[in-house]
């Protein structure tokens, strides 16, 4: 077979060159050249065949909904949107060592147990390494391993074996022999991923592809692939915490607001179905600067502890440090506390943190954050059993956020009866919820009025 020609193409302007160039002579961009392959014998791009093609009426298209393959790991199935859709391609991104291979081997074991044959393409680890991990997590039969990095061989094996699900770990180790670039380069990752996607779509193969990302997300991998796959999941969490969160960044077959919560244990990833209890377990009661927030992760309420420490500053520009909360939210809450609630923290260092390595991105964190800060400043603990949520506006008003009922219910389930919630403007509130319409009112309610 004739070897394909390859070209290097500038990703900014499309300029083609026979070899890699550091700077594009056409548009002047640096480092923008990516290798591309053109099949041998084809000159120029585009098709010369001008015959009209058959079109399909939208109403005549048969949908394949309902053909879902459940992995048997409920937290994983939830993020996928109720299992894997047949013939779809799922990309799982995450930093090295976060637990991608562990999760997928566990899923492979479960799928194998339920009679879905799985082909696990292990380009990163030897068969022995995969086996010893499988022994740890208890994955057993029904999983076939393929230690291969050549994408052509992977395609051929998939077509010969016809497994129910193919797992490729990882896309950075695969290479297309038609291209010169090293495995893991942008050109190789794109080309191999495109071939895998084509394989999945033309032969109805269900594919899960692993891709590594580093903290800044710049390394070739998931970011350049997001648009070619059906579903993109990111594995988050840091090595210092046991919690691992799988979050959907894109899902053609489900919601992107769902998350799956796992805990890394000595025997693989354990599902955390009721995370609130775990997150609040170590909470010290009766300590100033701690507030419990009811946040939403997808459709599920989750209770987390927001901590604040306010301490006199000896610096010309006092410190403001935040972990798990957006730092601009903190600055805004500090300004509102000073101007609208009379709590001035300009000469104090301020540290805030959400416990357990959780990140809270929703505006509803404003109220618990403000209460934790006020509590730390006044050195008065919030009352036992107090939980809060609500967005704080620049005028010091507390604004409603969605899912009030679910949040209050979760708090009651965990034994927190005193819920400080935004005034629902005439709508009914669940039992035990205390409506507040301004930040001062909320602080007066939980910290007492004299400051
Ligand atoms: P791994 O799945 O290899 O990460 P990735 O494929 O994302 O690079 O996970 C590796 C980490 O998980 C490693 O630090 C060891 C730890 N681990 C456990 O703590 N318990 C286990 O049962 C397993 C299999 C791994
Ligand atoms: Mg791995």
């Amino acid at each position: 077979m004739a070897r394909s020609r390859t070209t290097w193409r500038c990703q900014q302007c499309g300029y083609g060159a026979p070899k890699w160039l550091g700077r594009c002579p056409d548009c002047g961009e640096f480092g923008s050249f990516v290798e591309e392959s053109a099949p041998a014998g084809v000159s120029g791009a585009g098709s010369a065949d001008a015959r009209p093609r058959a079109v399909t009426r939208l109403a005549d298209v048969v949908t394949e909904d309902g053909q879902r393959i459940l992995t048997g790991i409920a937290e994983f199935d939830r993020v996928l949107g109720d299992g894997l859709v047949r013939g779809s391609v799922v990309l799982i991104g995450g930093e090295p060592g976060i637990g991608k291979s562990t999760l997928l081997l566990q899923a492979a074991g479960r799928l194998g147990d339920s009679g879905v044959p799985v082909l696990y393409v292990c380009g990163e680890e030897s068969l022995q390494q995969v086996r010893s991990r499988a022994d740890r997590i208890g994955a057993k039969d029904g999983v076939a391993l393929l230690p291969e990095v050549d994408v052509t061989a992977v395609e051929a094996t998939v077509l010969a074996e016809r497994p129910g699900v193919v797992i490729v770990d990882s896309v950075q180790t695969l290479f297309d022999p038609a291209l010169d670039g090293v495995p893991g380069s942008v050109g190789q990752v794109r080309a191999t991923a495109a071939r895998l996607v084509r394989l999945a779509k033309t032969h109805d193969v269900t594919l899960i592809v692993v891709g590594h990302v580093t903290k800044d997300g710049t390394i070739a991998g998931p970011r350049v692939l997001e648009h070619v796959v059906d579903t993109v999941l990111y594995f988050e969490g840091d090595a210092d915490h046991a919690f691992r969160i799988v979050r959907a960044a894109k899902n053609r077959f489900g919601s992107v607001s769902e998350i799956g919560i796992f805990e890394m244990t000595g025997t693989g990833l354990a599902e955390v179905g009721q995370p609130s209890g775990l997150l609040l377990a170590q909470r010290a009661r009766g300590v100033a600067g701690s507030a419990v927030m009811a946040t939403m992760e997808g459709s599920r309420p989750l209770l987390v502890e927001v901590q604040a420490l306010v301490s006199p500053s000896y610096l010309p520009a006092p410190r403001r440090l935040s972990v798990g909360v957006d730092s601009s939210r903190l600055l805004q809450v500090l300004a509102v506390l000073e101007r609208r609630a009379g709590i001035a923290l300009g000469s104090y260092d301020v540290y805030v943190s959400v416990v357990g390595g959780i990140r809270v991105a929703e505006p509803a964190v404003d109220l618990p954050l403000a209460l934790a800060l006020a509590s730390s400043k006044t050195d008065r603990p919030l009352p036992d059993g107090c939980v809060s949520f609500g967005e704080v506006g620049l005028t010091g008003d507390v604004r409603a956020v969605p899912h009030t009922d679910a949040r209050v219910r979760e708090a009651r389930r965990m034994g927190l009866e005193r819920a400080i919630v935004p005034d629902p403007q005439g709508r009914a509130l669940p039992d035990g919820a205390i409506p507040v319409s301004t930040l001062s009112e909320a602080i007066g309610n939980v910290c007492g009025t004299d400051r």
Side-chain angles (χ1 to χ4, degrees):
M1 201 182 100
R3 190 175 155 81
S4 306
R5 281 183 307 111
T6 80
T7 0
W8 291 86
R9 197 165 295 283
C10 172
Q11 297 299 296
Q12 291 298 320
C13 68
Y15 181 86
K19 64 184 177 76
W20 185 82
L21 299 173
R23 180 170 189 241
C24 178
D26 201 22
C27 69
E29 185 71 23
F30 286 95
S32 60
F33 277 82
V34 166
E35 192 182 16
E36 286 179 355
S37 68
V42 177
S43 61
S47 159
D49 186 356
R51 279 176 303 149
R53 309 293 202 267
V55 295
T56 310
R57 283 159 46 91
L58 183 56
D60 295 340
V61 178
V62 182
T63 59
E64 293 182 358
D65 238 26
Q67 292 203 334
R68 302 247 180 185
I69 306 169
L70 291 177
T71 65
I73 301 176
E75 294 286 308
F76 189 39
D77 285 334
R78 181 208 310 275
V79 190
L80 288 168
D82 227 4
L84 289 159
V85 173
R86 275 193 53 181
S88 71
V89 183
V90 177
L91 173 71
I92 298 196
E95 289 168 37
I98 194 83
K100 301 180 294 296
S101 306
T102 307
L103 176 66
L104 293 183
L105 196 58
Q106 275 178 259
R110 296 277 188 96
L111 284 166
D113 285 347
S114 61
V116 180
V118 178
L119 179 68
Y120 190 99
V121 181
C122 42
E124 289 192 345
E125 290 155 316
S126 68
L127 295 180
Q128 291 73 21
Q129 284 171 318
V130 177
R131 174 63 209 246
S132 69
R133 179 192 313 233
D135 287 343
R136 258 178 103 175
I137 61 184
K140 295 183 296 290
D141 307 327
V143 184
L145 299 180
L146 175 66
E148 182 57 71
V149 290
D150 180 343
V151 69
T152 317
V154 172
E155 279 175 353
T157 314
V158 167
L159 292 181
E161 296 278 326
R162 304 290 330 185
V165 174
V166 181
I167 297 173
V168 177
D169 189 2
S170 68
V171 70
Q172 272 100 348
T173 57
L174 284 190
F175 80 98
D176 183 340
L179 298 179
D180 291 333
V182 293
S185 61
V186 177
Q188 283 284 8
V189 168
R190 276 203 190 157
T192 50
R195 286 182 66 169
L196 291 175
V197 170
R198 212 175 316 127
L199 175 74
K201 299 296 163 193
T202 48
H203 296 281
D204 205 19
V205 177
T206 311
L207 205 64
I208 306 181
V209 181
V210 171
H212 294 292
V213 250
T214 50
K215 278 224 154 61
D216 53 5
T218 50
I219 294 290
R223 291 286 139 81
V224 300
L225 301 181
E226 278 181 352
H227 59 283
V228 296
V229 299
D230 298 308
T231 302
V232 180
L233 306 182
Y234 279 104
F235 219 130
E236 298 172 0
D238 54 71
D240 307 332
H241 292 100
F243 269 127
R244 300 283 185 276
I245 294 180
V246 182
R247 200 182 287 278
K250 158 181 173 177
N251 196 348
R252 287 189 180 145
F253 308 109
S255 150
V256 289
S257 59
E258 293 296 349
I259 64 165
I261 305 178
F262 297 91
E263 189 183 5
M264 186 58 97
T265 69
T267 53
L269 287 159
E271 296 178 59
V272 181
Q274 308 279 0
S276 295
L278 216 69
L279 283 170
L280 293 185
Q282 293 180 10
R283 184 169 54 106
R285 285 151 201 256
V287 179
S290 158
V292 177
M293 169 187 188
T295 182
M296 296 300 291
E297 282 288 8
S299 59
R300 282 190 297 178
L302 181 66
L303 299 189
V304 293
E305 183 186 356
V306 179
Q307 293 185 340
L309 180 65
V310 171
S311 126
S313 181
Y314 304 99
L315 300 168
R319 271 181 215 283
R320 270 90 182 86
L321 275 183
S322 64
V323 177
V325 183
D326 188 27
S327 54
S328 50
R329 285 224 97 78
L330 170 62
L331 296 182
Q332 184 175 322
V333 167
L334 287 172
V336 176
L337 271 174
E338 171 154 359
R339 289 297 310 278
R340 311 289 178 196
I343 298 180
L345 297 171
S347 56
Y348 292 82
D349 288 333
V350 173
Y351 306 88
V352 301
S353 157
V354 179
V355 179
I358 301 279
R359 262 202 76 76
V360 183
E362 60 165 347
V365 73
D366 292 352
L367 184 57
L369 188 58
L371 294 181
L373 287 164
S375 157
S376 180
K377 170 75 194 325
T378 55
D379 211 14
R380 286 168 176 232
L382 299 183
D384 215 24
C386 175
V387 62
S388 60
F389 55 88
E391 181 177 357
V392 174
L394 293 180
T395 56
D397 53 328
V398 175
R399 291 155 175 255
V401 291
H403 306 295
T404 299
D405 283 16
R407 296 179 206 247
V408 174
R409 231 179 298 123
E410 175 75 357
R412 292 182 76 95
R413 200 179 63 78
M414 296 302 301
L416 302 170
E417 301 280 345
R418 186 162 170 174
I420 312 291
V421 309
D423 195 323
Q425 311 288 346
R427 276 193 289 158
L429 269 186
D431 280 354
I434 303 164
V436 293
S437 44
T438 65
L439 183 55
S440 316
E441 192 185 340
I443 291 172
N445 195 304
V446 292
C447 295
T449 35
D450 57 320
R451 292 191 279 273

